[in-house]
């Protein structure tokens, strides 16, 4: 009798152990357990830790509640200004309602991926190339709104959307490089012209100060000679300004008069006859283009 009771107790213990092993479940901290009993959803979502279900009757589905990082495959499209681009992005989302994520959509990850690709193509067609390159924050917000509206009904929340890269054709890259180079050159020319204008104003002021004292030109010339000679050059090219020559001319007023008197007293050059003729014998009269014709001297007898 006692042996039968022990055998029955052992059998019951074994059956309880098997039942416990079949019914016991462990839900991790970042998961939630959704239970279906005979195909119907149980309202109580199992929290992290140890939980029990009815074997054969219940089915426990674990849903990951972590933020999922999903890359969006590169999508090729034409922008609003007719430029072919290739854009890829990344979507960060998480499940906020485990039951809705299992019931409302068959595969919420695949659904979010397809919706992200479609929305990215739509954004490409509505945007200009400059917006894709420089105004990505606004486009990211637009993508997030487009994804979050249908995803919230699936128990999924879009955390953020980021455009990773925008690939352009090589011809467009070269055109943009030429445009940037031309803009840089234009800015350089404007800066150079502005510098020339400022320098010309300062030079005009300096010329006005030097014109009051002509000796200042000599001092400036000496400073230039000193600056050039400090380089230890074997050849020195020294420009002489016209103002210095005028200053020297005013300093020696008698030089011009002496040159004029010397030109007036200088004898006229004798006439030159062709070689082989003596005193112009046999030379026909030559018409002077500046006055009356000149008759040659008669030959000597």
């Amino acid at each position: 009798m006692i042996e039968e009771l022990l055998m029955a107790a052992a059998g019951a213990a074994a059956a309880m152990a098997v039942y416990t092993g079949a019914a016991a479940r462990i839900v991790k901290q970042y998961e939630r357990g959704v239970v279906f009993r005979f195909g119907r959803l149980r309202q109580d979502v199992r929290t992290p830790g140890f939980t029990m279900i009815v074997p054969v009757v219940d089915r426990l589905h674990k849903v990951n509640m972590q933020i999922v990082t999903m890359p969006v495959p590169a999508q090729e499209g034409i922008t609003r200004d007719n430029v072919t681009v290739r854009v890829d992005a990344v979507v960060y989302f998480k499940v906020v309602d485990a039951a809705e994520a299992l019931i409302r959509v068959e595969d919420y990850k695949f659904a979010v991926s397809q919706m992200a690709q479609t929305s990215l193509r739509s954004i490409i067609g509505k945007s200009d190339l400059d917006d894709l390159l420089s105004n990505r924050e606004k486009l990211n917000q637009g993508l997030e709104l487009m994804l979050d509206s249908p995803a919230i009904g699936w128990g999924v929340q879009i955390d953020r959307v980021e455009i990773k890269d925008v690939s352009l054709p090589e011809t467009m890259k070269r055109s943009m490089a030429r445009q940037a180079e031309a803009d840089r050159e234009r800015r350089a020319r404007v800066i150079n012209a502005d510098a020339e204008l400022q320098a010309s104003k300062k030079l005009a002021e300096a010329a006005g100060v030097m014109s009051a004292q002509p000796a200042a030109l000599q001092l400036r010339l000496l400073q230039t000679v000193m600056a050039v000679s400090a380089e230890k050059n074997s050849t020195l090219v020294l420009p002489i300004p016209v103002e210095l020559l005028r200053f020297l001319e005013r300093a020696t007023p008698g030089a011009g008069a002496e040159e004029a008197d010397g030109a007036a007293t200088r004898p006229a050059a004798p006439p030159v006859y062709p070689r082989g003729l003596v005193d112009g014998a046999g030379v026909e009269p030559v018409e002077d283009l500046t006055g009356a014709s000149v008759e040659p001297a008669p030959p000597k007898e």
Side-chain angles (χ1 to χ4, degrees):
M1 187 68 180
I2 297 176
E3 293 180 358
E4 294 179 355
L5 291 176
L6 291 176
M7 292 292 293
M16 184 63 66
V18 171
Y19 178 84
T20 303
R25 295 291 186 273
I26 300 296
V27 180
K28 297 180 181 179
Q29 181 64 38
Y30 54 86
E31 295 176 339
R32 296 296 182 270
V34 180
V35 179
F36 291 90
R37 179 166 294 175
F38 293 111
R40 295 178 61 87
L41 175 67
R42 300 285 296 178
Q43 296 299 327
D44 54 333
V45 177
R46 304 301 170 89
T47 56
F50 180 81
T51 185
M52 297 286 291
I53 62 173
V54 179
V56 182
V57 176
D58 294 343
R59 291 290 183 271
L60 178 67
H61 295 270
K62 299 178 182 179
V63 180
N64 193 336
M65 306 297 289
Q66 291 177 314
I67 295 178
V68 180
T69 303
M70 177 179 293
V72 181
Q75 302 297 312
E76 186 173 353
I78 301 177
T79 61
R80 190 167 57 181
D81 50 354
N82 298 326
V83 178
T84 302
V85 295
R86 191 177 180 87
V87 183
D88 57 348
V90 58
V91 180
Y92 302 89
F93 68 93
K94 63 181 179 180
V95 177
V96 293
D97 192 337
E100 294 290 333
L102 289 176
I103 295 175
R104 297 295 181 183
V105 63
E106 180 181 1
D107 187 351
Y108 63 90
K109 292 184 179 180
F110 181 74
V112 171
S113 175
Q114 294 299 314
M115 185 175 56
Q117 297 180 33
T118 306
S119 301
L120 185 58
R121 284 179 174 270
S122 178
I123 285 293
I124 293 174
K126 294 179 181 178
S127 305
D128 295 331
L129 179 61
D130 294 338
D131 294 335
L132 290 175
L133 296 177
S134 61
N135 198 9
R136 293 189 181 182
E137 189 66 27
K138 182 179 179 181
L139 297 180
N140 293 338
Q141 294 177 0
L143 273 174
E144 183 177 349
L145 290 176
M146 294 178 66
L147 293 175
D148 196 37
S149 298
I152 197 66
W154 304 338
V156 177
Q157 180 182 355
I158 304 299
D159 190 68
R160 63 184 306 174
V161 183
E162 293 286 344
I163 295 177
K164 292 197 302 183
D165 188 25
V166 178
S167 301
L168 300 175
E170 292 297 329
T171 55
M172 181 57 64
K173 291 181 180 179
R174 289 194 293 267
S175 300
M176 294 177 65
R178 289 196 299 268
Q179 179 183 1
E181 184 179 357
D183 185 67
R184 293 281 183 178
E185 185 177 358
R186 178 185 62 84
R187 291 167 57 186
R189 289 183 179 180
V190 170
I191 294 174
N192 191 17
D194 191 16
E196 292 290 341
L197 178 60
Q198 296 179 9
S200 63
K201 291 181 180 179
K202 295 298 181 182
L203 289 175
E205 294 178 2
V209 174
M210 289 183 178
S211 62
Q213 296 293 335
L217 292 176
Q218 296 182 0
L219 297 177
R220 190 71 184 92
L221 180 61
L222 293 176
Q223 291 179 359
T224 304
V225 172
M226 292 178 60
V228 175
S229 61
E231 300 294 334
K232 297 181 182 181
N233 297 324
S234 59
T235 304
L236 177 62
V237 179
L238 181 63
I240 300 177
V242 180
E243 288 78 4
L244 180 60
L245 296 178
R246 292 176 181 174
F247 173 76
L248 296 175
E249 184 179 357
R250 288 195 299 269
T252 57
E258 292 177 359
E259 291 181 0
D261 295 341
T265 57
R266 187 181 299 121
V272 179
Y273 299 98
R275 184 176 297 179
L277 299 179
V278 180
D279 297 333
V283 178
E284 295 181 359
V286 179
E287 182 180 357
D288 187 4
L289 298 178
T290 60
S293 61
V294 180
E295 295 289 341
K300 295 181 181 181
E301 296 180 357

